[in-house]
Amino acid sequence: MYQYDEYDQRIVDERVAQFRDQTLRYLAGELSEDEFRPLRLQNGLYIQRYAPMLRVAIPYGNLRADQVRMLGHIARTYDRDYAHFTTRQNLQYNWPRVEDVPEILAQLATVQMHAIQTSGNCIRNVTSDPFAGVAGDEIIDPRPWGEIVRQWSTFHPEFAYLPRKFKIAVNGATEDRAVIQVHDIGLDLKRDAAGNIGFRVLVGGGLGRTPIIGEEIAAFVPWQDILSYCEAILRVYNLHGRRDNIYKARIKILVKALGIDAFRTQVEAEFVHLKGGPATLTQAEVDRVARHFVDPAYETLPATDAGYSAQLAASKGFAAWAKRNVRGHKQPGYASVVLSLKKSGIAPGDITADQFDRVAGLAERYSFGEVRVTHEQNLVLADVRQSDLFALWEAAREAGLATPNIGLLTDIIACPGGDFCALANAKSIPIANAIQARFDDLDYLHDIGEIEINISGCMNACGHHHVGHIGVLGVDKNGAEFYQVTIGGDQGNDTAIGKVIGPSFAAAEMPDVVSSLINTYTEIRHPDERFIDTVRRVGVEPFKTRVYAEREQRKQAHV
Amino acid sequence: MSEIIKNGAIHADEWTLVRLAEGEDAATVELPAGRVIVPLAVWLARRDALLAQAEAGVLGVWLAGTDNPAALADDLLRLQLIAVDFPKFADGRGYSIATLLRARHGYAGELRAVGDVLRDQFFFLTRCGFDVLVPKADKYTRTQLETALTSLKDFSEPYQGAVDRAEPLFRRQSRKEAA
């Protein structure tokens, strides 16, 4: 993975010095609350419900073992022994002290990490496919491009004070695993007929209050031009995006207001001046960055390891884990492993300081010292020998990281919600935990099959509820916490926004609501049909009817 | 007299910025004596009458975030001072306006950042082509302003090109492989 050179390191070190000075001036009263806010946000520092929150950048979800250890060290030293992985592949500390943040950033800088632009109205941390470089359906490795975009966007002087936040995702595979259709800019790596690399560019996607699927602004932008093209998009947005209303300030609103064709015309009018300019990427630079993402030293192995096959046959528990948490790999004899951060009763995406250390050890022992973060809030060891899977499973089990539920109902995406977040209307974590507790039978979970439940505590949609097969949105009804349910949302190539099934529910009703939805599905599904497929086939109505009928029955039973 | 930062050093300001008050007409508003910076609307309404002053270097024009810098495209060789207003420091339109004036339209005269101009934005403002920064009125003491000059140098080798250095890092420096 990418290693800083002296220039990268200096930029991060200078950032630490800058923010240390800003924090001191804030604490001394020289910087007002309003003046400090955008500065601290652009360093990922929020003032939260109970304490500050620090969001650390994990560019395109890539981590080294020494970085993982440092994250654990910080959790232990400056926080309460745990941290939280987010849906944008970042990491959040929930309880740091403001005055400690400069020192935390200094320690992160020693392992080539930072919190730059993890919040604020600027270009945020770039996200990508957690299976980059190892997936069988990859066309072009997105990681070098993620790094190139990271460097271009870091402290871009023209785009530090945009109308609103700006998120870029890069995908390089046939199947989109970076949710590029709901990003401000989605970059989809392609080859043209002649084999040249370029990008299909989507613009104006986003979740939040007004969920919108991004539209194609360019079918193919040659790689040399991609930064200039992004610059053209950002300039049009910076000049013309709305600044009068925070809820209408995202680029998606501008694109919708103008229409994609008129927006494209404006972008092209900018791009014509930028094309061929100094931002044009060079082969030397792409090669320099790409050299950091070459394959590790794989051994030549048989496609199927005999010992692995025997272990699968011998251990039901191992087989169940392998079925859900082990993925195929482009290299014969290797596999990718998902370490589940979705153990029942734990906040989805949470990890303890001890688990950080164990993950670092597992990565070093079994996966070339690297770890990836998924936007579903799990971790990936991308390059594991099949022959090591059993030992890895045993160690992961001991660490509480081997729940065999990846892609199943209990693999719930949830934002921190009202337990931590100042923006939340309602809690997320207890809802996730209550649903996990209801569906605790592994055989039943496997029978239900693949399904994604996404929970957000407010319409900012950090829990990506719009694109959950079942989406849950916390709403405030006269000061009480209620939950609106959508079904039919999806991520990936078939990205869709879920439809609301009806009036919202109290927290205590949520496990029953999910049960009603699942029971509807298991009764009417066709063979091999996932929950989302059934919803697509029959529509919302049968689900909605049953959910509210059974709710009425429960109410009657109680009177 | 207020203080400004010009080319990295503190100077006294010799210019008066005119803002149109409610109900004032760009065509008729009385301009103060001395060096004045007028709103774009005043310039467009009275261009012929003001041209000599502009060419003599005693009259400049300021742009708001909603103004299109292309409105001055034909006057850029005559104007010796253009200012861009930041109504709030977090309103970033001025960064693009400055970039367009310099990089697109080739404006080479003095370019001032005015309004809610604070030290923590000095670095980005300078990168986008502002050579004069007019800190928010009464915001900084002389000592604070002297300290604030360090903010001009927050980062020594930024990644991307901008007006101050058009070449991005990957063209500027030969980046050796990290060990």
PDB file of all heavy atoms in Angstrom, chain A residues 48 92 97 107 136 153 160 180 301 392 414 440 461:
ATOM      1  N   GLN A  48     -19.520  17.038  20.240  1.00  0.00           N
ATOM      2  CA  GLN A  48     -20.661  16.138  20.193  1.00  0.00           C
ATOM      3  C   GLN A  48     -21.608  16.312  21.356  1.00  0.00           C
ATOM      4  O   GLN A  48     -21.490  17.231  22.153  1.00  0.00           O
ATOM      5  CB  GLN A  48     -20.156  14.690  20.170  1.00  0.00           C
ATOM      6  CG  GLN A  48     -19.580  14.284  18.838  1.00  0.00           C
ATOM      7  CD  GLN A  48     -20.643  13.969  17.819  1.00  0.00           C
ATOM      8  OE1 GLN A  48     -21.646  14.671  17.720  1.00  0.00           O
ATOM      9  NE2 GLN A  48     -20.457  12.919  17.051  1.00  0.00           N
ATOM     10  N   GLN A  92     -13.755   6.660  14.083  1.00  0.00           N
ATOM     11  CA  GLN A  92     -14.124   7.737  14.999  1.00  0.00           C
ATOM     12  C   GLN A  92     -13.798   7.382  16.440  1.00  0.00           C
ATOM     13  O   GLN A  92     -14.092   6.294  16.898  1.00  0.00           O
ATOM     14  CB  GLN A  92     -15.630   8.021  14.888  1.00  0.00           C
ATOM     15  CG  GLN A  92     -15.997   8.587  13.537  1.00  0.00           C
ATOM     16  CD  GLN A  92     -17.453   8.961  13.366  1.00  0.00           C
ATOM     17  OE1 GLN A  92     -17.824   9.441  12.307  1.00  0.00           O
ATOM     18  NE2 GLN A  92     -18.277   8.759  14.382  1.00  0.00           N
ATOM     19  N   ARG A  97     -10.281  14.458  24.422  1.00  0.00           N
ATOM     20  CA  ARG A  97     -10.385  15.830  24.915  1.00  0.00           C
ATOM     21  C   ARG A  97      -9.839  16.761  23.841  1.00  0.00           C
ATOM     22  O   ARG A  97      -8.837  16.455  23.190  1.00  0.00           O
ATOM     23  CB  ARG A  97      -9.577  15.990  26.205  1.00  0.00           C
ATOM     24  CG  ARG A  97     -10.041  15.063  27.341  1.00  0.00           C
ATOM     25  CD  ARG A  97      -9.333  15.375  28.636  1.00  0.00           C
ATOM     26  NE  ARG A  97      -7.911  15.664  28.434  1.00  0.00           N
ATOM     27  CZ  ARG A  97      -7.193  16.448  29.231  1.00  0.00           C
ATOM     28  NH1 ARG A  97      -7.758  17.019  30.281  1.00  0.00           N
ATOM     29  NH2 ARG A  97      -5.920  16.650  29.000  1.00  0.00           N
ATOM     30  N   GLN A 107       0.729  11.919  16.895  1.00  0.00           N
ATOM     31  CA  GLN A 107       1.033  10.487  16.967  1.00  0.00           C
ATOM     32  C   GLN A 107       0.582   9.772  15.691  1.00  0.00           C
ATOM     33  O   GLN A 107       1.279   8.884  15.189  1.00  0.00           O
ATOM     34  CB  GLN A 107       0.367   9.884  18.204  1.00  0.00           C
ATOM     35  CG  GLN A 107       0.906  10.520  19.472  1.00  0.00           C
ATOM     36  CD  GLN A 107       0.902   9.567  20.654  1.00  0.00           C
ATOM     37  OE1 GLN A 107       0.787   8.366  20.503  1.00  0.00           O
ATOM     38  NE2 GLN A 107       1.051  10.129  21.832  1.00  0.00           N
ATOM     39  N   GLY A 136     -11.869 -10.810  -8.282  1.00  0.00           N
ATOM     40  CA  GLY A 136     -11.797 -11.428  -9.599  1.00  0.00           C
ATOM     41  C   GLY A 136     -12.413 -10.573 -10.694  1.00  0.00           C
ATOM     42  O   GLY A 136     -12.065 -10.711 -11.862  1.00  0.00           O
ATOM     43  N   SER A 153      -6.794  16.528  -3.729  1.00  0.00           N
ATOM     44  CA  SER A 153      -7.845  17.195  -2.953  1.00  0.00           C
ATOM     45  C   SER A 153      -7.352  17.700  -1.598  1.00  0.00           C
ATOM     46  O   SER A 153      -8.025  18.514  -0.970  1.00  0.00           O
ATOM     47  CB  SER A 153      -9.031  16.249  -2.753  1.00  0.00           C
ATOM     48  OG  SER A 153      -8.633  15.097  -2.043  1.00  0.00           O
ATOM     49  N   ALA A 160     -11.636  24.677  -0.384  1.00  0.00           N
ATOM     50  CA  ALA A 160     -11.655  24.413   1.056  1.00  0.00           C
ATOM     51  C   ALA A 160     -12.934  24.924   1.714  1.00  0.00           C
ATOM     52  O   ALA A 160     -13.262  24.515   2.827  1.00  0.00           O
ATOM     53  CB  ALA A 160     -10.436  25.058   1.713  1.00  0.00           C
ATOM     54  N   ILE A 180     -20.694   4.194  -5.729  1.00  0.00           N
ATOM     55  CA  ILE A 180     -20.365   5.432  -6.466  1.00  0.00           C
ATOM     56  C   ILE A 180     -21.600   6.192  -6.933  1.00  0.00           C
ATOM     57  O   ILE A 180     -21.518   7.381  -7.198  1.00  0.00           O
ATOM     58  CB  ILE A 180     -19.449   5.154  -7.684  1.00  0.00           C
ATOM     59  CG1 ILE A 180     -20.101   4.157  -8.649  1.00  0.00           C
ATOM     60  CG2 ILE A 180     -18.085   4.670  -7.234  1.00  0.00           C
ATOM     61  CD1 ILE A 180     -19.379   4.064  -9.971  1.00  0.00           C
ATOM     62  N   LEU A 301       0.403 -21.662  -5.476  1.00  0.00           N
ATOM     63  CA  LEU A 301      -0.333 -22.653  -4.693  1.00  0.00           C
ATOM     64  C   LEU A 301      -1.386 -23.307  -5.581  1.00  0.00           C
ATOM     65  O   LEU A 301      -1.827 -22.715  -6.568  1.00  0.00           O
ATOM     66  CB  LEU A 301      -1.033 -21.969  -3.506  1.00  0.00           C
ATOM     67  CG  LEU A 301      -0.136 -21.288  -2.474  1.00  0.00           C
ATOM     68  CD1 LEU A 301      -0.980 -20.475  -1.500  1.00  0.00           C
ATOM     69  CD2 LEU A 301       0.688 -22.323  -1.714  1.00  0.00           C
ATOM     70  N   LEU A 392      -6.562 -18.888  11.287  1.00  0.00           N
ATOM     71  CA  LEU A 392      -7.044 -17.507  11.358  1.00  0.00           C
ATOM     72  C   LEU A 392      -8.440 -17.458  11.993  1.00  0.00           C
ATOM     73  O   LEU A 392      -8.723 -16.601  12.846  1.00  0.00           O
ATOM     74  CB  LEU A 392      -7.076 -16.901   9.949  1.00  0.00           C
ATOM     75  CG  LEU A 392      -7.790 -15.551   9.789  1.00  0.00           C
ATOM     76  CD1 LEU A 392      -7.207 -14.503  10.723  1.00  0.00           C
ATOM     77  CD2 LEU A 392      -7.695 -15.063   8.351  1.00  0.00           C
ATOM     78  N   ALA A 414     -24.969   0.710  10.956  1.00  0.00           N
ATOM     79  CA  ALA A 414     -25.626   1.702  11.814  1.00  0.00           C
ATOM     80  C   ALA A 414     -24.665   2.843  12.108  1.00  0.00           C
ATOM     81  O   ALA A 414     -23.480   2.641  12.326  1.00  0.00           O
ATOM     82  CB  ALA A 414     -26.095   1.064  13.121  1.00  0.00           C
ATOM     83  N   ASP A 440     -31.191 -14.371  16.497  1.00  0.00           N
ATOM     84  CA  ASP A 440     -29.924 -14.898  17.006  1.00  0.00           C
ATOM     85  C   ASP A 440     -29.692 -16.357  16.610  1.00  0.00           C
ATOM     86  O   ASP A 440     -28.696 -16.943  16.987  1.00  0.00           O
ATOM     87  CB  ASP A 440     -29.842 -14.741  18.537  1.00  0.00           C
ATOM     88  CG  ASP A 440     -30.902 -15.559  19.244  1.00  0.00           C
ATOM     89  OD1 ASP A 440     -31.830 -16.052  18.568  1.00  0.00           O
ATOM     90  OD2 ASP A 440     -30.804 -15.694  20.477  1.00  0.00           O
ATOM     91  N   ALA A 461     -28.206  10.547   7.186  1.00  0.00           N
ATOM     92  CA  ALA A 461     -28.057   9.257   6.496  1.00  0.00           C
ATOM     93  C   ALA A 461     -26.661   8.652   6.559  1.00  0.00           C
ATOM     94  O   ALA A 461     -26.238   7.963   5.637  1.00  0.00           O
ATOM     95  CB  ALA A 461     -28.521   9.376   5.044  1.00  0.00           C
TER      96      ALA A 461
END
